[in-house]
Amino acid sequence: MLSRMQGRKRQGSQNRMGKRRERPTTLRTLCEHLKLSPATVSVVINNAPAAKAIPQQTKDRILKTARRLNYRANFFARSLSLKRGFTVGVLLPELSEGYAVAIMSGIEDQLLKEGYFYFVASHRGQPDLIEEYPLMLIDRAVEGIILVNTQLANALSVPAVTISGHRRVKGVLNVGVDNEKGAFLAMEHIVKLGHTKIAFFKGHPGSADTTYRWRGVCRAASTLGVRIAPELTLQLQSGASHPGPSLPEEGYESARKLLATGRPFTALVAFNDISAIGAVRAFRDAGLRVPEDVSVIGFDDIQAAAYLTPRLTTVRQPLRRMGEIAAEQLLARISNGKGRGAQQISVDPELVMRESTCEPRR
């Protein structure tokens, strides 16, 4: 009697809940279906280095069958067996349009391709968070950390790679563009067009790139015989104790301050594309034409730069590729060890001439 009641109860529960959920496909079931060894199937599913030795036709058949049978690798089982978490941390000043997003797209693509998960934290330039966040990420069992435009004071207990991190730290690899060379290219372009009365936006105080770009500007001015006028030089967020994300508004307001000085200038060399975009809007609101009245050049070549009116002349740094390189190098260090000594991978900047610069009016 009790058995019948239990049977009816199970049947009623099953009717109320609908069809019973099918059990997930196991690795063993998948291997039996494919008539392949668990080792072969496992290295393909997990995209392990040994998968390179397996014919592409076999790999395609394994992945196709796994999708059809709705097989999903057990992440926790894999982590326990290999004693690894397959997770890294990414620390950056802020997540905003332009620079950070372009770099993150490269980091993300590379990590996902290698089967890694990641945590992202933004410190907004606050020294206590810059010091604390890497430790918090390590507490969450990340295997390595990528630091974007963030100064690392000391070595970490896990492998680390920096992007635009100019402070040398033992065992930490840095990936960066030659900022001094890029700023020289921008100045050289403006001066060769015939501009001598040039305004400048210096970078944020504390930015890892500010010193090197300004050094390039000064070297170019000295080489090309151009005077840098202090009254036409403004530093972005100069009064901020902790400079925030770069926004078009700061470029807009800084451009208005330049106009308010009453000092004539025919070109603006901006620290980055975001500030250049704001400046172009301010000049046009003041009744000036870009580039006929004021030429404007930026730095970074963010995605929006090619779609402005006018399209922005700028210095391109391959942000997406820099993110990919950083992720590649970090995963290699996780696999092979922490690395030996400080290292540097430099990528070359490139001048991209568009519509926002021309010869000055005579």
Side-chain angles (χ1 to χ4, degrees), residues 239-258:
S241 56
H242 303 301
S246 190
L247 299 171
E249 287 88 338
E250 65 180 344
Y252 186 92
E253 292 302 325
S254 295
R256 291 184 62 181
K257 290 178 182 178
L258 286 175

Side-chain angles (χ1 to χ4, degrees), residues 63-354:
L63 296 174
K64 181 179 179 180
T65 304
R67 286 192 294 269
R68 182 165 59 83
L69 298 180
N70 198 27
Y71 172 77
R72 184 173 178 81
N74 190 320
F75 170 80
F76 293 105
R78 180 191 181 204
S79 299
L80 289 172
S81 65
L82 298 177
K83 297 181 180 179
R84 294 181 56 188
F86 297 94
T87 303
V88 302
V90 181
L91 183 63
L92 35 67
E94 37 77 26
L95 267 175
S96 62
E97 180 185 4
Y99 178 89
V101 170
I103 285 181
M104 277 304 305
S105 66
I107 293 174
E108 182 180 51
D109 285 352
Q110 190 63 32
L111 293 180
L112 292 177
K113 186 169 71 174
E114 298 295 335
Y116 275 74
F117 186 69
Y118 61 93
F119 296 119
V120 179
S122 57
H123 54 71
R124 298 279 174 166
Q126 299 182 36
D128 55 334
L129 296 183
I130 294 174
E131 183 178 351
E132 184 67 22
Y133 275 169
L135 304 179
M136 294 176 65
L137 289 169
I138 293 171
D139 287 343
R140 283 154 179 79
V142 299
E143 294 187 72
I145 298 178
I146 298 174
L147 300 101
V148 180
N149 200 18
T150 300
Q151 298 292 356
L152 184 61
N154 301 299
L156 301 174
S157 60
V158 298
V161 173
T162 61
I163 299 176
S164 298
H166 300 291
R167 180 181 296 168
R168 298 292 181 260
V169 178
K170 184 178 180 180
V172 177
L173 171 70
N174 180 60
V175 179
V177 73
D178 189 334
N179 280 284
E180 186 172 338
K181 180 179 179 181
F184 191 100
L185 290 174
M187 278 289 290
E188 186 177 47
H189 171 68
I190 289 296
V191 174
K192 283 186 175 180
L193 286 174
H195 296 275
T196 57
K197 298 178 180 179
I198 307 170
F200 300 93
F201 287 167
K202 290 180 67 175
H204 308 144
S207 168
D209 296 328
T210 296
T211 301
Y212 290 88
R213 291 186 193 176
W214 188 246
R215 185 180 296 173
V217 166
C218 294
R219 183 167 64 87
S222 176
T223 302
L224 301 170
V226 176
R227 176 178 176 269
I228 296 177
E231 60 273 17
L232 292 177
T233 302
L234 296 180
Q235 184 164 39
L236 304 175
Q237 298 187 30
S238 59
S241 56
H242 303 301
S246 190
L247 299 171
E249 287 88 338
E250 65 180 344
Y252 186 92
E253 292 302 325
S254 295
R256 291 184 62 181
K257 290 178 182 178
L258 286 175
L259 295 174
T261 65
R263 301 277 184 170
F265 60 93
T266 61
L268 168 67
V269 176
F271 172 69
N272 56 18
D273 289 346
I274 293 293
S275 60
I277 290 171
V280 168
R281 183 73 262 172
F283 293 147
R284 297 183 70 177
D285 285 353
L288 299 174
R289 297 170 300 167
V290 177
E292 292 85 356
D293 297 319
V294 183
S295 287
V296 178
I297 187 169
F299 200 115
D300 288 338
D301 194 27
I302 62 174
Q303 190 174 22
Y307 299 95
L308 297 174
T309 303
R311 295 187 299 161
L312 185 66
T313 296
T314 186
V315 175
R316 174 183 294 156
Q317 56 173 324
L319 299 173
R320 185 187 185 92
R321 180 57 188 150
M322 288 164 64
E324 291 176 349
I325 292 172
E328 288 171 359
Q329 292 295 322
L330 181 68
L331 299 189
R333 286 175 169 239
I334 290 172
S335 299
N336 304 325
K338 297 181 182 178
R340 298 178 181 177
Q343 299 178 39
Q344 173 76 24
I345 295 179
S346 294
V347 295
D348 285 329
E350 177 188 356
L351 178 67
V352 181
M353 292 182 287
R354 296 196 178 105

